[in-house]
Amino acid sequence: MSACTEPGCPGTIAADGYCDTCGMAAGPASAPVASVPAAAPRVAGRACTEPGCSGTIAVDGYCDTCGMAAEASALAAALGPPGSASVPSIAAPSAPGVSSRVAPTSRRTRSARTGSTRTRLGAGLVMVAPTEVGDPAGAIMTPEKIAAVIGEVPEEDRYCSSCGRPVGRSVDGRPGRVQGFCSHCRAPFDFQTNAPTLGAGELVAGQYEILGPLAHGGMGWIYLGRDKAVSDRWVVLKGLLNENDPDAVAAAVAERQFLAQIEHGNIVNIYNFVTHLGRGYIVMEYVGGESLNSKLKARRRANNGVPDPLPPADAIAYILGVLPAFGYLHNLGLVYNDLKPANVMAVGSDVKLIDVGAVMHIDDEHAAIFGTQGFQAPEVAAMGPSISSDLYTVGRTLAVLMLDFVFHAGAYLHAIPPPREAGVLVQWESLYRFLLKATAAHPDDRFQDAGEMADQLTGVLREIMAVTERSARHSPSRLFGGDRLTALMIDHADMVLTEADWRSLPAPKVDDTDPAAAFVDDLDEVSPVAALTLIDAAMASGQVPRSRELQLRHAAVLLAVGDDPGSVLDEVAAADPWEWRVEWYRALHHLARGEPAAAAEAFSRVWTELPGELAPRLGAALAAESAGEHERAAQLYERVISVDSTYVSAAFGLARCRVAVGDRTGAVAAYQRVPPSSATYQGAQVAAARALIGDGAATGATELRQAAATVERLQLDAVERASLAVEILERALGAGPDQLRDLGDATLLGHRVDETGIRRGLELTYRELARLSADPAEKVRLVDRANEVRPRTLV
């Protein structure tokens, strides 16, 4: 062992090549060196186009006065493709035979069929109280607040800024080090907060007048200033925590090189990067308002120190506000890396990402990766960041905003608390499933696209608002067609609407980009038998490619004709294990075979994959009903019809479940939720009348009057009207004198309400049915029954 050469350090170099005291490697340490564009942009020398600025574009592509980049296209050409201007950093030591950075490999592809662009806060579904911006000067810290920040960071809050592991902790009774190096990744740390180095009135880089500190962040003090060269605009200067930290320097330089070309309404603008008295500062747009982390702290203070998370609707609205920024970055080949409540600023009725220090090119294998424990995906340290790891931070941030749990350590460091520990997840099962998918352990099991994530989260929000506001809002799905009960009723005229049928479930939509999409769409116009013949012929001749959509339609047609689609679905699953439609068709097959438990499991998997869609929940309800779990099925049906009243099969399903548990009033209420505009409306009213009639013994005067009024109001054919009239009058005849007296003086279907009147009505109705019947035996039966019920006479 040799003595450490680090100035002032008495330690020695251990067997691993690092000092046992300061953690520095043996030999001279090398600081990161930023790469520079090989050629200057062609825009050098041109006048800056920033309003109020008189500067010119320098050879590095930025204005020499305001620091704004030249046109994005020219700057991009100068910097080269993503990753070409990477910033090297000191690599962390690797385990034997294991690379410290492995490019993430994914068998999944980003969806070509989903994708949202810009959406206003709350997607127009919820009104979130605007956050006041206020006077920027009023945000400057008072001397008392500055004094409270200065000192050592408490040990329990000390974590490595690179790998997120605890550092600077006590060992064997000895206090933890305030300064040193992480024993895992060797990244330096410094938890001594010194006084601000810039004073009010100080002019930085001859351009930025300092007004005072705004806060102390992970990279040091953050100051408010005015840009004296550009119309005295408000700016923020962020300094470095440790000038000897190569990763911090690299992050700052990376911001200066390529982040200035980022222009998005939900991302803070980077103006410049300057040095002053040997220190580096990033100059950026001033964003007023309040961070989401500050909102959580304020709610906790107002709740006597007890955590008071945001309401789910508000938390979702804020997340929906930042997702377009993620989609924008991902389309540029960038990842944000470090989303957390502290990095989201609520500004008026919008949000902004305020810290872009961790943004990097997705394929940059040399850049330092910054993240925060409790938010960063578990695979990032070994595999590097990816779109799915970026969206993981979105899911974690949403969870932290609305759940009270220890997220930075312990059992839930990479997990979501179960519903039994978070009541809000019991109330909103779709929200729980969304969080499970967003933060899944395997990157391929998460959302792969910010637009896809936004679509599903919007569906979850639509559910929450529909239930809390009691107003269903129809919104066509990108992935499913509409409810098929109406079409099923037309195709099967003899179908009883009060029976469950898996064929009423919505059908998945066809991907229009598939090479066989047109052929598959045309199959909608023919019967399942004919469609099967056409598919077989097309595949045999090779006229239509054996594409994903053709295979899935083949499976659907096999189901429709009663055959087993298993081998076709196995083929699709082998090509893409994450094709959720395979599980969908497997679930339908289980229902068709009378296997509701297996169907419920398959529908559950689809629901977790698509937490904002109603169709998987409708399928789960149908499976639960088929298994006799009527309360569970009723809950699911109720939620579906509450969100979208066009899903009329949910209303029928809810009514069936209410009838099964003896809740006749609930069944009638469910049938009444079928809108008059639906082709199934009349069927629902007839079913409601039959539910009112009940089994006779429990039928009272009120139910009989309501059933009779329903029959009189509807436009029914003669046979159906007479059949319903017979049921109502038979119930009235069996009700007894006391219940008949309860009917009062009113008539029932035009007949006097006493035994003679009811019998006369029944006799006439049975004879009417006999006249309308084409079956001779049935005619005889009906006439005999008419003779049995007719009133007794003396003649």
Side-chain angles (χ1 to χ4, degrees):
M1 294 189 295
S2 59
C4 178
T5 58
E6 186 70 12
C9 179
T12 56
I13 303 300
D16 63 357
Y18 294 87
C19 176
D20 59 6
T21 301
C22 71
M24 286 298 291
S30 59
V33 179
S35 59
V36 225
R42 290 175 292 175
V43 294
R46 286 176 48 183
C48 179
T49 57
E50 184 71 9
C53 179
S54 59
T56 56
I57 304 300
V59 293
D60 64 354
Y62 297 87
C63 175
D64 58 7
T65 301
C66 71
M68 286 298 290
E71 292 92 337
S73 59
L75 182 59
L79 294 178
S84 63
S86 60
V87 181
S89 64
I90 299 176
S94 303
V98 180
S99 171
S100 62
R101 286 289 305 279
V102 181
T105 56
S106 174
R107 296 174 61 187
R108 295 197 68 173
T109 56
R110 294 171 66 183
S111 171
R113 299 188 297 134
T114 60
S116 299
T117 54
R118 186 77 170 90
T119 178
R120 63 192 177 110
L121 195 62
L125 297 170
V126 57
M127 293 299 296
V128 181
T131 301
E132 184 179 355
V133 175
D135 179 13
I140 298 173
M141 297 176 68
T142 63
E144 292 76 17
K145 289 185 177 180
I146 295 173
V149 172
I150 297 173
E152 294 184 4
V153 175
E155 285 194 13
E156 63 269 19
D157 295 331
R158 298 176 188 175
Y159 294 93
C160 176
S161 62
S162 179
C163 68
R165 286 175 167 77
V167 292
R169 305 304 176 92
S170 300
V171 178
D172 297 331
R174 292 178 300 174
R177 294 171 58 88
V178 178
Q179 297 175 324
F181 294 82
C182 175
S183 60
H184 178 76
C185 68
R186 303 299 179 182
F189 63 80
D190 186 344
F191 294 107
Q192 177 68 49
T193 304
N194 298 314
T197 56
L198 299 179
E202 192 168 349
L203 196 64
V204 173
Q207 181 174 347
Y208 305 105
E209 180 186 1
I210 300 300
L211 300 181
L214 293 171
H216 187 276
M219 285 189 172
W221 287 99
I222 301 171
Y223 302 91
L224 177 67
R226 283 189 181 276
D227 189 341
K228 306 307 292 184
V230 186
S231 306
D232 269 352
R233 66 180 174 185
W234 297 102
V235 294
V236 170
L237 284 78
K238 183 172 70 172
L240 297 181
L241 177 64
N242 184 349
E243 294 289 3
N244 296 318
D245 183 346
D247 283 350
V249 175
V253 175
E255 285 179 324
R256 179 63 176 90
Q257 283 194 322
F258 69 88
L259 295 182
Q261 61 184 296
I262 294 175
E263 294 183 8
H264 191 278
N266 295 114
I267 304 176
V268 64
N269 286 323
I270 302 298
Y271 293 147
N272 210 345
F273 178 82
V274 298
T275 57
H276 179 72
L277 300 179
R279 295 178 179 270
Y281 297 92
I282 304 163
V283 184
M284 63 186 71
E285 167 192 12
Y286 170 78
V287 178
E290 184 181 17
S291 76
L292 299 188
N293 193 49
S294 296
K295 286 183 176 292
L296 289 177
K297 290 181 177 179
R299 292 175 66 89
R300 182 170 186 160
R301 288 194 299 270
N303 198 36
N304 298 319
V306 178
D308 182 23
L310 292 174
D314 287 10
I316 292 173
Y318 287 127
I319 294 299
L320 286 175
V322 301
L323 275 171
F326 274 77
Y328 170 82
L329 291 173
H330 296 164
N331 287 334
L332 291 178
L334 305 172
V335 282
Y336 184 76
N337 275 330
D338 196 22
L339 187 68
K340 53 189 174 184
N343 285 347
V344 181
M345 186 72 77
V347 186
S349 295
D350 211 344
V351 291
K352 276 204 176 191
L353 299 178
I354 59 171
D355 190 344
V356 291
V359 174
M360 58 177 283
H361 288 298
I362 195 170
D363 56 355
D364 190 341
E365 296 186 12
H366 303 288
I369 303 173
F370 288 85
T372 301
Q373 182 154 309
F375 296 94
Q376 188 178 74
E379 78 281 359
V380 170
M383 298 176 62
S386 63
I387 289 175
S388 63
S389 72
D390 228 16
L391 298 179
Y392 176 97
T393 68
V394 176
R396 292 290 294 183
T397 299
L398 176 59
V400 170
L401 286 175
M402 61 184 183
L403 304 178
D404 178 19
F405 71 111
V406 178
F407 60 88
H408 51 75
Y412 303 130
L413 176 62
H414 295 298
I416 299 298
R420 67 177 180 274
E421 296 183 19
V424 68
L425 300 182
V426 174
Q427 184 180 9
W428 309 114
E429 186 175 349
S430 291
L431 179 56
Y432 178 52
R433 291 175 183 268
F434 176 90
L435 292 175
L436 290 179
K437 178 175 173 63
T439 62
H442 196 290
D444 287 344
D445 291 332
R446 303 175 197 146
F447 293 104
Q448 304 297 304
D449 179 273
E452 171 196 4
M453 189 181 210
D455 284 342
Q456 295 306 313
L457 188 54
T458 300
V460 173
L461 178 59
R462 183 175 290 109
E463 173 193 340
I464 293 174
M465 299 311 298
V467 173
T468 55
E469 292 185 351
R470 299 186 181 278
S471 60
R473 300 184 183 184
H474 172 63
S475 178
S477 169
R478 292 172 180 263
L479 304 178
F480 286 93
D483 192 276
R484 293 200 296 172
L485 183 62
T486 300
L488 190 62
M489 181 184 69
I490 294 172
D491 293 341
H492 305 274
D494 57 343
M495 173 188 173
V496 180
L497 290 176
T498 52
E499 293 180 357
D501 195 315
W502 62 269
R503 295 171 297 177
S504 66
L505 292 172
K509 289 184 177 180
V510 175
D511 182 358
D512 292 337
T513 64
D514 186 272
F519 175 79
V520 171
D521 283 335
D522 289 342
L523 296 176
D524 292 338
E525 306 301 322
V526 300
S527 69
V529 174
L532 187 59
T533 301
L534 291 172
I535 290 173
D536 289 339
M539 289 192 297
S541 65
Q543 293 178 342
V544 178
R546 192 176 179 81
S547 68
R548 175 76 52 81
E549 295 302 324
L550 183 62
Q551 289 175 302
L552 290 170
R553 179 54 62 91
H554 189 195
V557 171
L558 287 171
L559 268 172
V561 300
D563 290 342
D564 187 349
S567 60
V568 178
L569 294 175
D570 289 343
E571 186 178 347
V572 176
D576 184 359
W578 291 273
E579 174 55 76
W580 59 264
R581 288 174 292 179
V582 170
E583 285 296 322
W584 177 261
Y585 287 119
R586 290 197 199 282
L588 296 183
H589 188 221
H590 286 307
L591 279 181
R593 294 176 57 180
E595 301 167 346
E601 291 180 5
F603 280 128
S604 179
R605 288 189 287 270
V606 179
W607 187 3
T608 301
E609 182 71 13
L610 306 172
E613 297 290 337
L614 292 176
R617 185 180 317 192
L618 194 57
L622 197 63
E625 180 189 359
S626 300
E629 299 176 2
H630 295 110
E631 286 300 333
R632 167 66 171 168
Q635 292 172 359
L636 296 171
Y637 282 134
E638 167 69 35
R639 189 58 59 87
V640 171
I641 198 66
S642 296
V643 176
D644 193 335
S645 61
T646 66
Y647 280 88
V648 292
S649 60
F652 281 92
L654 176 59
R656 291 192 300 268
C657 292
R658 295 300 184 211
V659 169
V661 298
D663 181 8
R664 185 166 50 185
T665 301
V668 172
Y671 285 126
Q672 299 296 348
R673 296 174 75 167
V674 176
S677 57
S678 172
T680 62
Y681 175 74
Q682 184 162 292
Q685 295 301 301
V686 170
R690 287 200 162 96
L692 285 165
I693 295 168
D695 59 6
T699 304
T702 300
E703 289 81 5
L704 287 173
R705 278 199 299 267
Q706 290 177 353
T710 300
V711 171
E712 290 174 328
R713 184 179 71 252
L714 296 176
Q715 298 289 329
L716 302 173
D717 63 55
V719 174
E720 189 168 27
R721 178 178 291 277
S723 298
L724 281 169
V726 162
E727 292 183 44
I728 293 172
L729 293 172
E730 286 280 12
R731 294 291 187 272
L733 184 62
D738 292 340
Q739 287 183 321
L740 288 179
R741 279 193 296 272
D742 289 341
L743 288 169
D745 296 331
T747 59
L748 193 65
L749 295 175
H751 303 289
R752 194 175 69 250
V753 184
D754 56 27
E755 184 174 352
T756 300
I758 296 298
R759 285 182 176 275
R760 174 63 66 186
L762 267 174
E763 177 191 6
L764 294 175
T765 308
Y766 273 122
R767 296 190 188 281
E768 174 68 7
L769 279 174
R771 184 182 66 81
L772 295 171
S773 176
D775 183 353
E778 180 67 5
K779 282 180 178 288
V780 171
R781 188 191 70 80
L782 291 169
V783 170
D784 287 346
R785 181 57 182 160
N787 291 331
E788 290 174 3
V789 299
R790 69 182 181 181
R792 296 185 178 88
T793 62
L794 296 177
V795 179

